[in-house]
Amino acid sequence: MKPISLRLRGAIGIRDGLGLDEIDITFAGLSPGLVAIVGKNGSGKTTILDNLHPYLELPSRDGSLANHFFLRDSVRELHFEIGQVRYRSEILIDARTGRVEAYLYQGREPLNDGRVSTYKAAIVGLLGSPEVFFNSVFVAQGSSGVTALTPSKRKDLFFDLLGLQIYDGYTQYAKASAEELEKSLLAKSTLMQEITKEASEKPALRESLDRAELGLGQARRELHDREIERLANETGLESCRKNAESLRRIKKDRESLGEEIALLAQRLSATDQDAEKETKTLGAEMKAIEKEISRTNSILTHSSEITEKVGQLRSLRQELEELLRLQSAVQEISQTQSELFMINERQWNEYHRNHAKLQHQEERLIADERQLLNIHAMERANLMRQLQELRTASLLVDEVPCRQVEDLPGQCKLLRHSIEADEKASVVWQRIAVLDRTGTDIGPESVALRLELEEIAQKKSELERARPKPFNSESFDARKEELHYDAARHAEVRASIKTLEEEKWERLSEELLVAQSVLKEKKSSCELLGSQIDRLKSQRDAVVSQLSDELASKRERLNDLGLLSPMETDEGSLLWQRNEISSALESLRTRELTLHGQAEAARGSMERIEKKEEEGVIVDQEITVIAQQVEHWRMLQRACSRDGIPALELDAAGPGISGIANELLASTFGARFQISFETTKLSKDCKKQLETFNIVVYGQSGEKRIEDLSGGERVWIERAISEAIAIYMSEHSGCQLQTTFQDESDGPLDPDNKQNYFSLLRESFRLGRRFFTFIITQSPEIWEQIEQRIYLKPGIGAELVY
């Protein structure tokens, strides 16, 4: 990761240290190398360094990010590069509510949706976890580092640094797979036990089947004997019933004659009632016809009035049809007018919406172009200030009289510094010339902005050409006036038609048409009904006479039958015997069904056990296969646990990291200190290996644990290990850690060791192939040796010197 620019708005550390609400620092002019952040105590140096990365954590501060900002519209905007790809981190903070929105962009493309959770995931995908970052390349103020951790905590940290936690997932997956198979194995074993248990019941089932079949044969023989007894009983009952049949037949004849006599009496009564009823009905019909004849004569007397009213009704209906047509035409014109007005209104709304959208886009692009011009001006001003300082320093060559002495410039620090300044001045002048030649064309971003501005101007011109015209409703009003529709007349016609229809003149007209033709027919119907009434009376008298004769004949036959005595029979004893036989048969049939069911159940159980035995062979084979699979997954679980492959990888990484750390220490302190990682050690009884993660230091005074060193000694060994971790991570993980950060990590050291420590940082910069190392130190003898500096000045902000 290489920082390009940083903008902080509303940071409490900048407000308290510099008296500013906002600060903007651009690192584009810095060359690869060490960069010192210089300023008075409390000027905000740590605030700058703590925000010079895209993580949401502040390693030197307690609490959340929002706790260290004070404005409602606080912002932390960081531009940085990874490889050749540019990214922009933008954190929006409301200090009053604590609400935080976090965005990450690759170029102009967003990589998350503004939520803190998705932002953290995107940053971890780019740079790894914050634990790795702040324990390798970033040394926060007052941080304890890996040497202050217990061996177990140190081991956990190295697991995270080396990405070995991936094996935890493998271990859990292998464990879950083994447990799932063990559940299946337990189920199969339980099933096998059930099969074995059921097979042990097979002899008892065979014995039960034999007993059921023997009892079934005996029950069927008894059932046959009882069936013979039942047939004999049925024969006796049939003879007894034939003797009783003749008595029942005579009794039935008497009952039948009695019923026929009662029925004839009912028919006689009903005939009188029906004749009387029908006579009344025909009389009512004749009266109704006579009434219709009277009404028809009345209609014929009002024929002229009926004809006049029907003609008036038809004329009003024709006028109503014309009024309805005019009303429909007026409604169609009004609907068309309303629809065209709404379409025109939508066109105007769309025009205003598109115009506002283009205006907003144009203002945003103009602001982006202005920001690019400000960056260009700031960069040129920095170069001009640097050129002035270099030219002032280079004047010393012309002013001193000893410049002609041979080899003196190489030995005199002042002359050498002046000559180097003169050489650097020419390089800076060339960079200024390049900026002046490019002018405002400061890169592809400026060209893209101008093209977008031209495109927006063209769209605005096209929008104006397509601007809708105002809606004119006068023509529609004129068309409605031309139709001469009278709503009052319309209502009047409707009321007149309703009145005439309620008086039913049309119906009277229809009756008038048929009155003369039906009048003669109605008179004929009235005469016909009179003759029908006379014929009905004569028919009634004939039927009554016939029914009276038939009733007298049937009463004589009933008297002839007389009374008969009942026959004595032994049917009761036969019925009792039949019931006894039926009860015995029912019991035998029940017994037969029970024994048959027992036999079938025993056979089914035998067949089921035989199938289970066949299934048991397959289950036993499956148990063997699953047991082998469980063993394989358990072996993989043990291999991926922290005592397996991860421990081997940790053992393999230890010499690599310690080798890089020893190379850094050797380049600065010579053979004074060397380190190694002790991942295991023998137990006191020398019988087994114990897991540990000690850091052993070898020096002139022998072997020591890092916990036993002095505070100053632990500083550079701590730094050597952290730098070695960062270099090892860059070489093996592919994560490009191009920048490191040091915040007063040399505090406990004396002046001599500070210089050695500074040399160690330079060597780490070289080995790690870094681009920047940002350093905060309170030692002037250190930061004065760093050519590139960021000065923090109250009331002004950041000033870059390079």
Side-chain angles (χ1 to χ4, degrees):
M1 185 202 76
K2 181 178 73 174
I4 298 173
S5 66
L6 173 67
R7 181 170 72 94
L8 294 176
R9 172 174 171 78
I12 294 175
I14 300 302
R15 179 198 63 185
D16 296 345
L18 301 179
L20 300 174
D21 287 350
E22 185 169 338
I23 188 171
D24 198 340
I25 307 174
T26 301
F27 309 104
L30 297 176
S31 302
L34 277 63
V35 181
I37 302 177
V38 183
K40 296 180 180 180
N41 286 339
S43 60
K45 301 187 295 296
T46 297
T47 299
I48 295 296
L49 199 68
D50 274 356
N51 288 280
L52 203 51
H53 59 79
Y55 293 97
L56 293 177
E57 291 81 359
L58 296 179
S60 301
R61 300 284 188 267
D62 294 329
S64 65
L65 183 65
N67 292 339
H68 300 282
F69 287 81
F70 67 93
L71 294 177
R72 293 191 65 177
D73 57 344
S74 299
V75 178
R76 187 186 83 180
E77 183 176 353
L78 174 67
H79 294 254
F80 60 95
E81 280 187 0
I82 298 178
Q84 300 298 321
V85 182
R86 280 201 173 195
Y87 296 89
R88 176 165 63 93
S89 165
E90 186 174 17
I91 313 298
L92 307 179
I93 305 163
D94 186 343
R96 298 186 183 180
T97 63
R99 177 180 174 83
V100 176
E101 294 182 14
Y103 298 89
L104 181 64
Y105 299 88
Q106 180 178 336
R108 292 190 176 184
E109 180 182 355
L111 300 182
N112 75 312
D113 57 3
R115 291 182 297 172
V116 170
S117 58
T118 58
Y119 176 85
K120 287 183 177 181
I123 292 298
V124 169
L126 282 177
L127 296 173
S129 67
E131 291 80 7
V132 173
F133 188 83
F134 294 115
N135 281 283
S136 56
V137 299
F138 198 108
V139 181
Q141 188 178 114
S143 62
S144 56
V146 296
T147 60
L149 300 175
T150 62
S152 62
K153 296 287 186 181
R154 197 179 298 147
K155 183 176 180 180
D156 291 340
L157 176 61
F158 269 75
F159 263 87
D160 292 338
L161 292 174
L162 298 173
L164 299 180
Q165 65 271 21
I166 190 175
Y167 286 100
D168 291 339
Y170 298 156
T171 303
Q172 293 301 321
Y173 181 75
K175 181 182 177 182
S177 299
E179 290 176 351
E180 191 66 26
L181 287 171
E182 285 174 346
K183 292 179 182 178
S184 177
L185 182 62
L186 179 61
K188 295 288 185 183
S189 300
T190 304
L191 178 61
M192 194 65 191
Q193 292 175 0
E194 293 176 356
I195 293 172
T196 304
K197 182 180 178 181
E198 290 184 5
S200 65
E201 299 174 357
K202 192 174 180 180
L205 283 173
R206 172 59 66 184
E207 183 178 353
S208 176
L209 176 62
D210 293 342
R211 284 200 305 270
E213 289 179 344
L214 181 62
L216 184 62
Q218 183 178 358
R220 286 174 176 170
R221 287 192 295 271
E222 293 179 5
L223 186 62
H224 180 265
D225 294 340
R226 284 291 184 177
E227 284 288 344
I228 293 174
E229 292 180 9
R230 184 185 65 78
L231 291 175
N233 179 266
E234 289 292 337
T235 303
L237 278 173
E238 183 66 23
S239 176
C240 182
R241 286 168 182 167
K242 287 180 179 179
N243 293 331
E245 183 64 26
S246 60
L247 178 63
R248 283 197 294 271
R249 191 179 300 112
I250 294 173
K251 184 178 180 180
K252 185 176 181 181
D253 289 343
R254 283 176 56 80
E255 292 175 353
S256 178
L257 281 174
E259 291 175 357
E260 289 177 0
I261 290 169
L263 183 59
L264 284 173
Q266 290 177 1
R267 285 179 62 190
L268 183 62
S269 176
T271 299
D272 285 337
Q273 293 175 0
D274 291 343
E276 184 178 359
K277 183 178 179 181
E278 192 169 353
T279 302
K280 290 180 179 180
T281 302
L282 292 174
E285 289 181 7
M286 190 166 66
K287 288 181 180 180
I289 292 172
E290 289 174 350
K291 186 177 180 180
E292 286 291 325
I293 291 171
S294 176
R295 184 172 178 274
T296 301
N297 290 327
S298 177
I299 291 173
L300 290 173
T301 60
H302 295 84
S303 60
S304 59
E305 183 182 1
I306 292 171
T307 304
E308 180 184 354
K309 293 292 184 179
V310 170
Q312 184 180 354
L313 179 60
R314 289 173 180 172
S315 176
L316 288 171
R317 283 175 177 170
Q318 291 177 355
E319 184 178 359
L320 178 62
E321 288 180 1
E322 179 63 20
L323 288 170
L324 288 172
R325 186 185 64 79
L326 293 175
Q327 182 188 34
S328 177
V330 170
Q331 290 176 348
E332 288 179 1
I333 293 171
S334 299
Q335 183 177 0
T336 303
Q337 181 181 8
S338 176
E339 291 175 353
L340 291 177
F341 176 76
M342 292 177 64
I343 292 171
N344 185 261
E345 187 176 9
R346 286 197 295 271
Q347 289 174 347
W348 274 104
N349 291 338
E350 182 68 18
Y351 165 77
H352 290 303
R353 188 162 50 250
N354 291 336
H355 188 275
K357 181 179 178 182
L358 291 174
Q359 186 70 24
H360 176 71
Q361 292 176 353
E362 185 178 35
E363 291 173 357
R364 179 179 58 79
L365 292 172
I366 290 173
D368 291 346
E369 186 177 32
R370 190 181 300 114
Q371 184 179 3
L372 289 174
L373 292 174
N374 290 338
I375 293 173
H376 176 271
M378 186 183 297
E379 186 173 0
R380 192 181 188 284
N382 289 334
L383 291 174
M384 288 298 296
R385 185 167 56 252
Q386 183 179 1
L387 177 64
Q388 184 64 32
E389 293 176 357
L390 292 173
R391 284 179 174 174
T392 302
S394 67
L395 292 176
L396 183 63
V397 177
D398 298 328
E399 294 176 359
V400 297
C402 57
R403 67 182 182 278
Q404 302 298 332
V405 179
E406 186 177 0
D407 295 333
L408 183 60
Q411 300 175 8
C412 178
K413 290 185 177 180
L414 292 175
L415 287 177
R416 184 170 66 250
H417 180 68
S418 180
I419 292 170
E420 290 175 353
D422 184 61
E423 294 173 352
K424 290 182 178 179
S426 62
V427 175
V428 173
W429 177 250
Q430 291 176 0
R431 293 172 64 184
I432 292 172
V434 171
L435 286 177
D436 290 341
R437 283 197 304 274
T438 58
T440 58
D441 297 329
I442 55 179
E445 292 185 4
S446 175
V447 175
L449 285 173
R450 290 175 182 173
L451 288 175
E452 289 187 29
L453 281 170
E454 292 175 0
E455 183 180 352
I456 289 175
Q458 183 179 357
K459 288 181 178 179
K460 289 177 71 176
S461 177
E462 293 175 355
L463 185 63
E464 286 299 324
R465 287 197 297 271
R467 182 173 182 171
K469 297 179 180 180
F471 181 74
N472 184 9
S473 62
E474 294 179 357
S475 61
F476 292 96
D477 296 336
R479 288 170 58 190
K480 287 190 283 187
E481 289 293 334
E482 291 174 358
L483 293 174
H484 302 294
Y485 169 69
D486 188 350
R489 177 57 184 167
H490 191 169
E492 182 182 350
V493 170
R494 281 184 179 276
S496 299
I497 291 175
K498 182 178 180 182
T499 301
L500 291 172
E501 287 178 344
E502 288 175 351
E503 292 175 354
K504 300 180 180 180
W505 292 105
E506 288 179 315
R507 180 178 175 184
L508 291 173
S509 177
E510 292 175 357
E511 292 178 356
L512 181 63
L513 294 175
V514 297
Q516 294 177 348
S517 61
V518 300
L519 182 59
K520 185 177 182 180
E521 180 182 351
K522 289 183 181 297
K523 289 180 178 179
S524 299
S525 298
C526 189
E527 294 174 356
L528 179 63
L529 286 174
S531 62
Q532 286 180 351
I533 290 172
D534 295 338
R535 187 171 60 254
L536 181 62
K537 289 180 178 180
S538 61
Q539 289 177 352
R540 167 187 166 278
D541 293 339
V543 171
V544 168
S545 175
Q546 181 183 355
L547 290 175
S548 298
D549 294 343
E550 189 175 352
L551 181 60
S553 173
K554 289 186 179 294
R555 283 174 178 170
E556 291 178 359
R557 286 182 58 196
L558 181 61
N559 292 329
D560 293 341
L561 287 175
L563 297 176
L564 295 176
S565 302
M567 296 176 61
E568 294 184 2
T569 64
D570 58 351
E571 184 179 3
S573 62
L574 291 174
L575 288 174
W576 178 83
Q577 184 180 7
R578 187 183 68 175
N579 290 336
E580 287 292 319
I581 295 171
S582 298
S583 177
L585 284 172
E586 185 67 25
S587 176
L588 287 172
R589 290 192 183 100
T590 303
R591 180 183 170 192
E592 179 191 21
L593 290 174
T594 301
L595 291 172
H596 180 74
Q598 292 177 355
E600 289 298 321
R603 289 192 190 94
S605 299
M606 291 288 290
E607 292 177 358
R608 180 174 53 80
I609 290 174
E610 289 172 356
K611 290 181 180 179
K612 285 285 186 180
E613 288 176 341
E614 295 175 358
E615 182 183 351
V617 176
I618 300 174
V619 171
D620 188 54
Q621 294 174 354
E622 292 176 350
I623 288 173
T624 303
V625 173
I626 294 173
Q628 293 174 352
Q629 293 175 347
V630 169
E631 180 60 28
H632 293 161
W633 281 114
R634 288 300 184 188
M635 184 184 300
L636 181 60
Q637 178 186 349
R638 292 191 294 272
C640 294
S641 67
R642 292 206 168 193
D643 298 331
I645 296 173
L648 296 176
E649 291 203 15
L650 191 62
D651 291 342
I657 296 173
S658 62
I660 297 172
N662 289 331
E663 185 177 352
L664 293 173
L665 291 171
S667 66
T668 307
F669 299 98
R672 182 178 173 185
F673 293 107
Q674 295 286 282
I675 67 168
S676 68
F677 294 103
E678 181 186 76
T679 57
T680 59
K681 67 177 182 180
L682 285 173
S683 60
K684 291 183 179 180
D685 56 4
C686 299
K687 291 183 178 180
K688 58 181 179 179
Q689 291 283 343
L690 300 178
E691 293 290 333
T692 182
F693 205 83
N694 293 323
I695 300 176
V696 182
V697 182
Y698 302 94
Q700 296 174 353
S701 58
E703 176 183 331
K704 292 183 180 180
R705 293 193 314 157
I706 194 168
E707 292 83 357
D708 299 330
L709 296 178
S710 66
E713 291 173 332
R714 290 177 65 176
V715 168
W716 59 68
I717 291 179
E718 167 75 38
R719 191 67 252 139
I721 293 174
S722 296
E723 292 292 330
I725 291 172
I727 294 170
Y728 185 88
M729 291 286 293
S730 296
E731 292 177 350
H732 290 80
S733 69
C735 184
Q736 302 181 29
L737 304 175
Q738 296 175 289
T739 306
T740 57
F741 309 84
Q742 308 284 333
D743 190 355
E744 297 186 15
S745 56
D746 60 340
L749 301 177
D750 55 43
D752 290 338
N753 282 325
K754 284 179 184 284
Q755 292 294 333
N756 291 332
Y757 181 75
F758 183 62
S759 299
L760 184 144
L761 293 181
R762 286 186 180 276
E763 181 64 16
S764 174
F765 183 88
R766 184 188 65 81
L767 287 177
R769 295 188 291 277
R770 308 273 168 66
F771 197 91
F772 288 134
T773 293
F774 290 94
I775 299 174
I776 297 176
T777 177
Q778 297 296 335
S779 305
E781 63 272 18
I782 298 298
W783 61 259
E784 286 177 353
Q785 298 180 54
I786 302 174
E787 296 180 355
Q788 301 185 116
R789 304 168 196 163
I790 301 174
Y791 285 95
L792 299 181
K793 298 182 179 181
I796 298 175
E799 182 178 318
L800 276 67
V801 176
Y802 44 86

